[in-house]
Amino acid sequence: MVAKPLAETPIPIARPSRAEAEAAVRTLLRWAGDDPAREGLLDTPARVVRSYEEFFAGYAVDPVALLERTFAETEGYDEIVLLKDIRLESYCEHHMVPIIGRAHVAYLPSNRVVGISKLARVVNAYAKRLQIQEKLTAQIANTIEAVLQPRGVGVVIESEHQCMTTRGVHQHGASMVTSRMLGVFRDDANTRRELMALIGRS
């Protein structure tokens, strides 16, 4: 069994109770200038807490465990495996507003492959946490490399950050692209170009 990378393990914290979380939402509603006791906001604290359970579900998922079941019957397949356009929904750790985009995840198998749904699940496991895109990109690639030990891993993420579109500089339509290339995707320019062509990026 592959050891979980220490840098990707969430720091254990004392988790507040649901009642404490709902009270915190009521405090924020008052701070925003509204009355949490008015009819339209009575159920808002409970709804927000339930939403947070979904938004940040990745803290309860072990990405390493997702990749541990692999398949060796590949008939000698040794070319790029690419899962494109994985819907990505995360939250900026600086402003707690959405990061919406897509991830492209590829690896070059050595002798085993993994079910493609597991690649999407690894993306979601890390995305459903407070994040910055650079760290998210590295975490996905590093975990795939550590567990599958392929000849190469490539991860490209394209996303729009609402901390830029709904506040601050208000730059609508601006997208951020990050990539993490490991193994042959980093060392071999031709293999990297092949991957980028498959993704649809020059």
Side-chain angles (χ1 to χ4, degrees):
M1 182 175 177
V2 177
K4 183 186 296 185
L6 295 177
E8 295 165 357
T9 305
I11 299 170
I13 58 169
R15 190 172 185 179
S17 68
R18 181 176 294 270
E20 289 173 318
E22 291 181 10
V25 175
R26 282 190 284 273
T27 297
L28 287 173
L29 290 172
R30 287 195 299 272
W31 185 86
D34 215 321
D35 177 11
R38 72 175 175 84
E39 182 181 11
L41 294 177
L42 282 176
D43 293 328
T44 296
R47 291 190 183 108
V48 170
V49 170
R50 287 196 299 272
S51 295
Y52 268 41
E53 288 176 329
E54 184 175 342
F55 295 159
F56 305 117
Y59 288 112
V61 178
D62 180 357
V64 170
L66 292 172
L67 295 171
E68 287 180 337
R69 184 183 179 196
T70 59
F71 305 94
E73 294 181 4
T74 62
E75 296 293 332
Y77 184 85
D78 60 357
E79 300 294 332
I80 294 172
V81 176
L82 168 65
L83 188 60
K84 292 175 55 175
D85 298 321
I86 303 167
R87 168 80 175 179
L88 183 142
E89 299 174 4
S90 191
Y91 281 80
C92 164
E93 68 180 36
H94 299 144
H95 303 97
M96 295 183 71
V97 293
I99 300 169
I100 305 296
R102 54 187 179 161
H104 314 290
V105 177
Y107 69 100
L108 202 57
S110 51
N111 56 8
R112 301 185 70 83
V113 297
V114 69
I116 58 171
S117 68
K118 300 298 191 280
L119 299 177
R121 289 180 188 277
V122 169
V123 171
N124 285 334
Y126 284 121
K128 297 292 188 179
R129 303 178 184 188
L130 291 169
Q131 281 288 9
I132 62 171
Q133 186 171 323
E134 297 90 337
K135 181 175 73 173
L136 172 61
T137 307
Q139 286 176 327
I140 295 166
N142 293 348
T143 299
I144 293 170
E145 181 186 51
V147 181
L148 299 185
Q149 299 182 352
R151 289 183 291 148
V153 179
V155 176
V156 178
I157 294 178
E158 310 169 68
S159 69
E160 185 174 282
H161 292 236
Q162 292 193 18
C163 56
M164 279 189 59
T165 62
T166 62
R167 59 162 301 282
V169 294
H170 291 274
Q171 287 294 315
H172 296 276
S175 63
M176 181 175 178
V177 180
T178 51
S179 67
R180 174 77 158 168
M181 301 291 161
L182 302 172
V184 293
F185 292 121
R186 176 183 286 270
D187 300 334
D188 187 328
N190 290 329
T191 305
R192 185 166 59 253
R193 277 195 293 269
E194 180 184 357
L195 172 59
M196 290 303 189
L198 289 171
I199 291 173
R201 300 191 66 86
S202 58

